[in-house]
């Protein structure tokens, strides 16, 4: 947060009571893919830096598998 603020990047903490990037989510893999299957990704006009890949991302590939990953 301090680095973002020092670089004039707007950031905020999001209060959650679970670890979204843990083995607990792996148990839900099939259910999540099913629930998110209707998501139809499309290309964005706004560049997106993915925290999943660590690089700029073509948002048209952000399907259910991307969101689970």
């Amino acid at each position: 947060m301090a680095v973002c603020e020092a670089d004039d990047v707007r950031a905020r903490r999001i209060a959650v009571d679970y670890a979204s990037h843990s083995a607990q989510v792996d148990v839900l893999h099939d259910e999540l893919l099913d629930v998110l299957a209707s998501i139809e990704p499309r290309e964005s006009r706004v560049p997106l830096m993915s925290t999943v890949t660590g690089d700029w991302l073509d948002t048209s590939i952000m399907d259910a598998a991307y969101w689970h990953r």
Side-chain angles (χ1 to χ4, degrees):
M1 294 287 293
V3 171
C4 287
E5 290 171 4
D7 289 341
D8 235 4
V9 174
R10 188 178 78 178
R12 66 184 173 121
R13 290 196 186 276
I14 300 173
V16 295
D17 61 355
Y18 57 90
S20 58
H21 299 285
S22 69
Q24 295 169 322
V25 175
D26 290 339
V27 175
L28 302 172
H29 178 264
D30 294 338
E31 180 180 352
L32 286 172
L33 291 184
D34 183 51
V35 170
L36 300 174
S38 65
I39 292 176
E40 296 181 21
R42 58 183 178 196
E43 187 176 346
S44 172
R45 291 181 280 162
V46 178
L48 183 124
M49 175 62 74
S50 171
T51 59
V52 173
T53 66
D55 206 351
W56 295 107
L57 186 72
D58 172 1
T59 57
S60 67
I61 67 154
M62 296 173 76
D63 60 3
Y66 172 85
W67 289 108
H68 178 267
R69 188 177 62 231

